[in-house]
Amino acid sequence: MSFISNPASPTFSKALELKRCLLQGFDSFKHLKHVHARILRLHLNEDNYLINMILRCCLDFRNTEYTKLIFEKTKYPNIYMYNTMIRGMVSNDCFFDAIELYGSMRKSGIIPDYFTFPFVLKACARLSDFQLGVKLHSLVVKVGFDNDVFVKTSLVCLYAKCGHLVDAQKVFDDIPNKNIVSWTAIICGYIGSGHFEEAIDLFRGLLEMGLRPDSFTLVRVLHACSRLGDLNNGEWIDRYITECGMHKNVFVATSLVDMYAKCGNMEKARCVFDGIHEKDIVCWSAMIQGYASNGLPKEALDLFSQMRRENLKPDCYAMVGVLSACAKLGALYFGNWAKDLLDANEFLSNPVLGTALIDLYAKCGSMAEAWKIFKQMKVKDSVVYNAVILGLAMNGNVTAAFGVFGEMEKTRIQPDENTFVGLLCGCTHAGLVQDGRRYFKSMSDVYSLTPSIEHYGCMVDLLARAGLLDEAHKLINSMPMKPNAIVWGALLGGCRLHRDTQLAEHVLKQLIDLEPWNSGHYVLLSNIYSTNRRWDEAEKIRSTMNEKGMRKVRGCSWVEVNGVVNEFLVGDTSHPLTREIYVKLQSLSRDLREAGYKPTTEFVLFDIEEEEKEHLLGWHSEKLAVAFALITTHDKDVIRVVKNLRICGDCHEAIKLISKITGRQIVIRDNNRFHCFADGLCSCGDYW
């Protein structure tokens, strides 16, 4: 009998006082324990109503162990207490405990109700316990809850989470009065199974039913657009969000930023971003990562600096974005400054952050620092190993890359497709044809990995650079998938290197079919003709480009000085120190000639006078960047330059001599590889 319902009981007033106290809630768990102690002293511990309230309060404090202890001491728990416990365990991610409680409930002879099933089904879904879920479905039908919208929605989630999407759809179709939660459940089911187009179609169906989606539904369907790169549907959903007034919701707006960024429209992403009044760190991170991944690294760094001015501490995603941007620009100083905003242990214990830091150092030519981070990493997964293998390969440390691969095998970390991309890149950079063939063959023979188009592209590049153009061409023709522009482009690069104009013409036809809008293919063929002094044919190619309105991508170089990234184009005069830069170039030109340097004019691929060619060569963007760094940095500083195109042969030779004349170490990363100049030598092993 409940003492609360017996006014004659001497503890009645005290029981009412305890009830009011439990209803008001508690500021601390210690206060709650005091109230529980009073219940025990008053011998009210058999009053299930009071004990159920205590259980709820304990679970609100997420103290599941104390809650379980109270429940185990209850002699005759009823369905309300079981439901409280099951719901609380699920809410605290204790799914095994929730299922055990359900089993105990069934053994005690208590029949679950409409409140029990959704939470037990949720626990089954989170544990992917399909067998128990099916048994629960049978019981749902037997006890007459098969028309309850919340129970049926939980069944939709269960079947979808366990990979039975057809069954999930059947259950969804059988729900008589579908609500927004039901629609969201099936939409999330399709998204979780990778059926993003179907999820967007279901969202349309939701709107046609006259239902208004909540913020969670909108966030999920925008995620589907992001995964598809579906800008058209993303823009339509954006318009709907604005019409229904949900654009002010920070979670929805952040998802819009993310969607536009992943669809490559950074102007729209920035427009949405600027319209968010109270930006959280997630929103800033989405925008920074968007800039970094869409080829706008300088904008990513500018936005990161703005974020710091607003006193926001970067999270993991913002840091990965800014380190990626620094890696693209060779901005080591800025990257080190950003890194110091987080504790060192955050990098060493987080594989994602650690990988980004390794990638930064590797792409800035500071492989010793990258190696140091790799050795200190507390958790080394395949992604971390892949980053250091690729970094070593890019920096010309191919033997070390092979050694890390051996260590990876010894620690029984299974190599994946990206591992072999790094190994094959290393073979390509070092011209190790036999090793490349061996690694490529071992993918399928030893590791049961199917080579992807990236691996075929690496092999074609390796063979083509080595002059094995026929073998490279045969490999392309034997590919199990249709070759893309990267594969054909690798062969075309080999044709340029070895001056095989006939094969290059054939390759270019394939490239034009694949990318008729890409001016680079026309430029490369024109360069091949020019190198072979076939000026008329080169001019014909350039005329075709003009007729189609195509323009060659301009050479651009970046160099970081004191945390500021400076950009130079060929013949650039926009920099504030332009006068000093060109004075330095003239001084270097005199020193180079005295050292025996003669401009390699074959790299100016136009039919013009030799003197004019020499003049054009002296203004290349990488030379401007190096000259600027020489006049603005200390004598012992390493000069790091990043170029968007491949460094030309003349600049390669000139900068090699500049490093000797000035006694400076110069690292240049182009779109092809690293070039590390010191004492008049280049360790990249490149050939021209």
Side-chain angles (χ1 to χ4, degrees), residues 95-375:
F95 306 114
F96 284 109
D97 291 323
I99 289 174
E100 282 183 6
L101 282 161
Y102 171 75
S104 173
M105 176 183 175
R106 296 293 290 132
K107 285 177 184 177
S108 67
I110 298 175
I111 302 296
D113 61 12
Y114 64 91
F115 195 84
T116 316
F117 285 116
F119 289 103
V120 182
L121 286 166
K122 183 176 181 180
C124 292
R126 295 296 294 270
L127 295 173
S128 297
D129 191 341
F130 181 65
Q131 296 303 319
L132 179 57
V134 171
K135 290 176 183 177
L136 283 164
H137 192 175
S138 299
L139 186 59
V140 164
V141 176
K142 286 179 184 177
V143 297
F145 290 116
D146 52 319
N147 284 326
D148 186 276
V149 64
F150 297 104
V151 175
K152 293 294 278 288
T153 298
S154 298
L155 284 166
V156 170
C157 293
L158 167 76
Y159 284 119
K161 183 70 169 57
C162 293
H164 296 264
L165 199 55
V166 174
D167 293 320
Q169 183 69 55
K170 286 179 182 177
V171 175
F172 174 77
D173 292 339
D174 286 340
I175 299 175
N177 297 307
K178 303 176 182 68
N179 59 21
I180 191 65
V181 180
S182 310
W183 281 95
T184 303
I186 193 66
I187 287 170
C188 290
Y190 275 97
I191 291 172
S193 300
H195 295 82
F196 305 114
E197 291 180 6
E198 292 87 342
I200 295 170
D201 290 339
L202 280 165
F203 180 72
R204 288 181 183 275
L206 178 158
L207 296 181
E208 288 168 4
M209 293 295 293
L211 292 171
R212 176 169 174 157
D214 59 16
S215 60
F216 182 78
T217 315
L218 292 168
V219 166
R220 296 306 295 157
V221 77
L222 285 169
H223 173 70
C225 295
S226 299
R227 293 296 300 272
L228 287 170
D230 187 347
L231 186 59
N232 289 333
N233 273 319
E235 289 178 327
W236 159 67
I237 294 168
D238 184 7
R239 289 193 294 273
Y240 170 78
I241 288 168
T242 303
E243 288 169 9
C244 69
M246 291 289 285
H247 61 287
K248 294 181 180 179
N249 183 296
V250 67
F251 303 109
V252 174
T254 299
S255 295
L256 275 170
V257 170
D258 184 65
M259 182 274 296
Y260 279 124
K262 286 177 178 169
C263 291
N265 192 327
M266 289 311 297
E267 288 184 11
K268 283 279 185 73
R270 186 60 190 253
C271 183
V272 176
F273 176 81
D274 289 340
I276 301 173
H277 296 297
E278 295 184 9
K279 304 176 182 70
D280 59 13
I281 188 61
V282 179
C283 184
W284 285 93
S285 297
M287 196 68 199
I288 290 167
Q289 283 203 317
Y291 275 135
S293 59
N294 281 286
L296 298 166
K298 198 167 185 302
E299 287 81 353
L301 299 193
D302 290 341
L303 190 65
F304 184 80
S305 298
Q306 182 183 337
M307 184 190 84
R308 288 298 300 144
R309 287 194 293 273
E310 299 197 14
N311 295 318
L312 277 171
K313 183 180 178 180
D315 63 1
C316 171
Y317 302 102
M319 189 57 70
V320 168
V322 77
L323 291 177
S324 174
C326 289
K328 288 182 173 70
L329 291 169
L332 185 59
Y333 183 97
F334 195 105
N336 276 327
W337 168 77
K339 179 202 72 172
D340 290 340
L341 297 173
L342 296 183
D343 186 83
N345 284 326
E346 292 187 65
F347 288 94
L348 301 179
S349 58
N350 186 323
V352 176
L353 278 173
T355 299
L357 195 56
I358 289 169
D359 186 59
L360 165 69
Y361 286 131
K363 287 182 177 174
C364 288
S366 185
M367 199 58 220
E369 286 297 318
W371 181 255
K372 181 180 175 183
I373 296 296
F374 171 72
K375 297 303 287 184

Side-chain angles (χ1 to χ4, degrees), residues 554-558 566-582 585 616 618-625 628:
R554 295 185 71 184
C556 180
S557 295
W558 297 274
N566 298 267
E567 183 178 85
F568 295 93
L569 299 172
V570 60
D572 205 333
T573 58
S574 62
H575 197 278
L577 295 180
T578 290
R579 182 177 174 280
E580 291 86 344
I581 291 168
Y582 280 95
L585 279 175
L616 287 172
W619 291 3
H620 279 190
S621 64
E622 55 266 56
K623 286 178 180 169
L624 292 171
F628 169 72

